[in-house]
Amino acid sequence: MGWVTARTPLIFQSKVLCLSLLYLLTTLPLSLYVSFSQTGCLFRSPPPTPKSKLFSYPSSYGEHKYALPTARSKCTSPVLFSEYRVAFEEIRDLISNLSLASSSSSPVLRYQRGRGNSFAGNFSTLRRKYFFNHSDDRVAIPCGFFKEFPIREYDRLAMEKCNGVVVASAIFGDHDKIRQPKGLGAQTLEAVCFFMFIDEPTLRTLTFHNILSDGEKEVNKIGAWRIVRVPSRELPYENPAMNGVIPKHLTHRLFPNSKFSIWLDAKMQLTVDPLLLVHSLLISKDAGMAISKHPFNVHTMEEAMATARWKKWGDVESLRLQMETYCENGLQPWSPSKLPYPTDVPDTALIIRKHGLASNLFSCLLFNELEAFNPRDQLAFAYVRDLMSPKLKINMFEVEVFEHVAVEYRHNIKHEGGGQVVTKMASSRDITGSKCEGYLLKMWGESNE
C-alpha cells in the first residue's frame, strides 16, 4: 500500500505572490468604489432619491438628443461634497438666519423705479459706470424693469413665496428642450423651487407633443419644473437671447425672497442635487457666487475674438465698439495681480449665487452692460467684476467639476450659413491708435510697462 503525499499548489508556495494576491483582493473593492461612485469629484455618498420618476416624455419629444461629449474624465482639483443630510440641514438653518437678518436693519440694495423706453434704461457708458462704486446704501441702482416683464399674477405670487433656494432656467424661441434634474435627494423637491420660463414658440412645441396644454389659466408643471409662460408679443426685447438673460441675471429681482439661486442654461441638465452644489461650491467657500472657469479662454479679448470668429454674435463692429469702450474705461487683461480671480472668462451656463448686496449689485451692473451691447455675458464679466465696489467673492471652479455636475446638450435649432469664418491673425502693426492697443500688447507680452 503506497503513501498519499499532499503537496501545496505552486501558486501558494511563494510568500510574495500570496501577499500580492491578498493586497489585490482587499484594495480592489475600494478602488472600484472610488472609480464608480466618486467619478473623480469626491462625492461622499449619493443622496436618498425620490421614490418616483419625475416625468416621462413622449418618444417624439426626444428630451436627451445630441449630448455633447466631454474630454475630461477626472477632476484635477476635486471638490468634497458633504453628506446630503448635512447640506440640507445647514442650508435650512442658514436660510432661517438670513430671513431674520433681512427683517432687521441690514443694508440692502435699492433699485430705481419708473418707466423708460427700454427695459434697463438705456444709460450712457459714463452713467452706467457711475453706479459701479456703491458706497452709499441710500443710492438706488438701475436694475431693469423700466418696462414690464409679463408674468401672470399667480406665477408672480408663487415666485415671491420661494424664500429659500430657486433653480431657474428659460427657453425662448424654442431653442432647447426641457430636461429633468437628476440625482435629487428625497427632500429636495420640497425645499427647492424649480422655475422654467418659456415663450409662445416654445409653448407651441410642448403642446404639439402633448406635454403641456394651452389653457391660459392653468398652473403647468413638467416634472420638477413649474412652467412660467410669458407672451412673446409683450417681451421687452426682440432678441430671444436678450429676453433670456432677464431671468438669468435678474433672478434676485424675480424671486425677491429667495436666499440662494442656481441659474441653469436650458442646454444643460443637472446631475447633482442643487443643495449639494449650493453647500459645497458656495457656502463652504464663503463666496457670493460660484461659476466655472472657461475651458479655453483666459482674457476677455480672447473671448471677444472667438465670439466674432464663430459668429456667436453677428455684429462684429458692435463687438469692436464694446471692447474699445471697456479698454478706455479700465479693462485690463488677466494677470496674477487679479488673483484670487483665476481668469477673466467664465462659463456662464451654470451660475450659483447667494443673494446679497455685492452679488445683486454685480448682477444689476452686468445686465446694464448686456442691454447696452449684446447678451454675450462673458464679455462684460471681468469689466464689471474688476471695477465694481464692494468686491464680490467668486469661487471660479475648474471646468472638470462643471462637467461632472451637469451634462450639456446641443441646441434644438439649426443655424443657416454656419461654418468657420476665415480670419486674419492680428499683430501689433494692426492696432496702432486703438483704445485696446495697451490691453493687447500686455496680453501678447509685448508691452514695455
Side-chain angles (χ1 to χ4, degrees):
M1 182 175 179
W3 293 93
V4 177
T5 304
R7 299 185 60 187
T8 304
L10 289 175
I11 193 172
F12 294 117
Q13 291 184 16
S14 170
K15 293 182 179 180
V16 175
L17 182 58
C18 288
L19 291 174
S20 300
L21 287 172
L22 179 61
Y23 177 80
L24 177 64
L25 291 173
T26 55
T27 58
L28 183 60
L30 179 61
S31 63
L32 289 174
Y33 171 79
V34 171
S35 298
F36 291 103
S37 69
Q38 299 184 21
T39 59
C41 281
L42 295 185
F43 293 89
R44 282 188 178 175
S45 63
T49 57
K51 295 180 180 179
S52 59
K53 187 176 180 180
L54 290 176
F55 190 80
S56 296
Y57 289 93
S59 58
S60 59
Y61 184 62
E63 179 200 5
H64 293 305
K65 288 183 179 179
Y66 316 124
L68 295 178
T70 58
R72 290 161 281 270
S73 60
K74 293 184 178 180
C75 294
T76 55
S77 297
V79 173
L80 178 63
F81 285 84
S82 299
E83 297 283 351
Y84 175 78
R85 175 57 56 186
V86 172
F88 177 85
E89 292 178 354
E90 287 190 12
I91 291 175
R92 180 195 59 194
D93 295 342
L94 188 54
I95 288 172
S96 177
N97 293 336
L98 290 171
S99 298
L100 292 175
S102 63
S103 62
S104 65
S105 57
S106 299
V108 295
L109 196 63
R110 304 176 189 275
Y111 306 115
Q112 291 187 8
R113 302 181 182 275
R115 292 299 173 195
N117 59 0
S118 74
F119 184 77
N122 195 25
F123 294 103
S124 67
T125 299
L126 291 179
R127 185 60 177 166
R128 296 195 309 274
K129 192 177 178 183
Y130 168 78
F131 297 101
F132 276 38
N133 186 357
H134 186 69
S135 56
D136 187 347
D137 293 331
R138 295 171 296 180
V139 175
I141 303 297
C143 195
F145 297 94
F146 293 112
K147 294 180 73 173
E148 191 69 26
F149 186 64
I151 297 175
R152 296 174 296 183
E153 185 62 22
Y154 53 85
D155 284 332
R156 189 184 306 277
L157 291 174
M159 292 159 63
E160 290 177 356
K161 289 180 181 178
C162 183
N163 62 357
V165 179
V166 59
V167 179
S169 189
I171 304 176
F172 292 140
D174 194 28
H175 287 183
D176 289 287
K177 298 178 181 293
I178 294 179
R179 299 182 170 92
Q180 299 301 323
K182 298 172 64 178
L184 298 185
Q187 295 177 276
T188 297
L189 290 177
E190 301 172 8
V192 178
C193 315
F194 290 82
F195 279 84
M196 175 72 70
F197 298 83
I198 66 169
D199 61 358
E200 288 166 351
T202 309
L203 174 63
R204 285 195 291 269
T205 294
L206 294 171
T207 54
F208 174 81
H209 291 285
N210 295 316
I211 296 172
L212 277 185
S213 68
D214 56 3
E216 281 292 329
K217 297 184 178 181
E218 295 185 25
V219 175
N220 295 123
K221 286 200 71 175
I222 300 179
W225 298 101
R226 172 162 177 156
I227 307 302
V228 179
R229 295 156 52 175
V230 290
S232 299
R233 63 186 177 277
E234 298 178 27
L235 285 167
Y237 301 106
E238 294 183 2
N239 185 341
M242 194 63 214
N243 288 317
V245 297
I246 295 174
K248 180 174 185 177
H249 290 293
L250 301 183
T251 318
H252 63 288
R253 304 269 344 244
L254 292 170
F255 300 88
N257 298 313
S258 62
K259 307 302 183 296
F260 300 94
S261 67
I262 296 178
W263 167 262
L264 188 73
D265 278 4
K267 65 181 180 180
M268 309 300 301
Q269 180 187 27
L270 272 187
T271 57
V272 172
D273 189 286
L275 295 175
L276 296 180
L277 295 180
V278 169
H279 188 268
S280 297
L281 297 177
L282 198 68
I283 295 175
S284 66
K285 302 296 183 181
D286 190 28
M289 175 185 292
I291 194 167
S292 169
K293 293 194 268 186
H294 192 278
F296 307 112
N297 299 328
V298 173
H299 305 288
T300 300
M301 196 65 71
E302 290 177 321
E303 181 63 24
M305 293 174 180
T307 300
R309 181 180 302 119
W310 297 103
K311 292 187 176 181
K312 295 179 180 180
W313 186 251
D315 190 348
V316 176
E317 180 59 25
S318 73
L319 292 175
R320 184 197 64 77
L321 175 62
Q322 181 180 14
M323 290 299 100
E324 294 264 329
T325 300
Y326 289 170
C327 290
E328 184 179 17
N329 285 275
L331 177 67
Q332 295 293 323
W334 186 88
S335 68
S337 64
K338 290 192 178 187
L339 292 172
Y341 303 134
T343 176
D344 280 354
V345 187
D347 189 323
T348 63
L350 175 68
I351 308 174
I352 308 168
R353 300 181 180 96
K354 177 182 178 181
H355 292 181
L357 192 147
S359 174
N360 295 349
L361 176 64
F362 175 84
S363 297
C364 295
L365 299 176
L366 181 65
F367 186 89
N368 295 339
E369 296 302 316
L370 303 186
E371 185 187 77
F373 293 105
N374 58 70
R376 302 299 302 176
D377 48 12
Q378 293 155 310
L379 302 181
F381 181 87
Y383 172 69
V384 173
R385 181 201 66 188
D386 294 348
L387 299 182
M388 69 173 281
S389 177
K391 292 298 184 185
L392 175 62
K393 185 173 181 180
I394 306 177
N395 173 24
M396 301 192 74
F397 52 87
E398 299 293 335
V399 67
E400 293 95 337
V401 175
F402 173 68
E403 292 181 348
H404 277 88
V405 302
V407 178
E408 182 176 357
Y409 292 83
R410 297 186 188 278
H411 285 298
N412 191 32
I413 55 174
K414 293 182 179 180
H415 294 285
E416 298 296 331
Q420 185 174 359
V421 181
V422 178
T423 57
K424 179 176 72 72
M425 294 299 293
S427 70
S428 56
R429 296 188 302 273
D430 302 318
I431 61 172
T432 302
S434 166
K435 294 181 176 64
C436 288
E437 180 178 359
Y439 178 107
L440 289 167
L441 291 176
K442 288 180 182 179
M443 188 179 81
W444 292 333
E446 299 179 16
S447 174
N448 294 324
E449 295 182 16

